[in-house]
Amino acid sequence: MRFLLLILLTFTLSYASSSYELGKKLYMEKGCFSCHGSKLEGMHKYPRLANRAKGFLTYKLKRFRNKKSDNQQQEMMIAFAVSLSDKDIENLVAYMTDYVEDENTERYDDSFQTQGDGGS
């Protein structure tokens, strides 16, 4: 029984991470970052998408795919969403709801301490 539970858990975690990665790839391919930011933070008048409710994001993307919007500003989303499949929407939503900022491992080491006054 524990073995089956372990297999199910492993499958679920690998599916979730692959869905996240596929959503991330689709987000970049569709050019969503140009308005919503590369970190899903939202830019100018375009909303933040990071860590929003799954149901809300799914609802909005499906409405846009069905050529429905709530206002004129949202109408521009229709062109981006019309070609999305249910699986595409699922992957995009997985990426947006579970978004975690990638850590940049190549940062400047500010812990370096100099000794003396620079040799003067």
Side-chain angles (χ1 to χ4, degrees), residues 31-63:
C32 305
F33 64 90
S34 61
C35 294
H36 296 285
S38 59
K39 297 178 183 178
L40 292 83
E41 72 274 18
M43 296 170 51
H44 309 290
K45 60 186 175 182
Y46 304 106
R48 175 186 63 82
L49 299 175
N51 310 116
R52 300 286 299 264
K54 182 178 183 176
F56 172 75
L57 292 171
T58 303
Y59 167 78
K60 293 301 273 187
L61 284 172
K62 287 185 177 182
R63 276 184 56 89

Side-chain angles (χ1 to χ4, degrees), residues 38-110:
S38 59
K39 297 178 183 178
L40 292 83
E41 72 274 18
M43 296 170 51
H44 309 290
K45 60 186 175 182
Y46 304 106
R48 175 186 63 82
L49 299 175
N51 310 116
R52 300 286 299 264
K54 182 178 183 176
F56 172 75
L57 292 171
T58 303
Y59 167 78
K60 293 301 273 187
L61 284 172
K62 287 185 177 182
R63 276 184 56 89
F64 295 145
R65 183 180 64 186
N66 293 329
K67 299 180 181 177
K68 297 178 183 174
S69 66
D70 297 327
N71 58 46
Q72 189 174 8
Q73 180 183 345
Q74 291 180 1
E75 285 181 12
M76 68 178 10
M77 281 297 301
I78 292 171
F80 294 99
V82 118
S83 64
L84 295 175
S85 67
D86 284 340
K87 190 66 178 168
D88 290 339
I89 290 175
E90 183 181 317
N91 292 335
L92 276 169
V93 169
Y95 174 59
M96 292 185 280
T97 58
D98 298 334
Y99 177 75
V100 176
E101 186 174 342
D102 295 331
E103 291 186 33
N104 184 358
T105 57
E106 296 181 20
R107 293 181 182 234
Y108 176 75
D109 182 12
D110 61 355

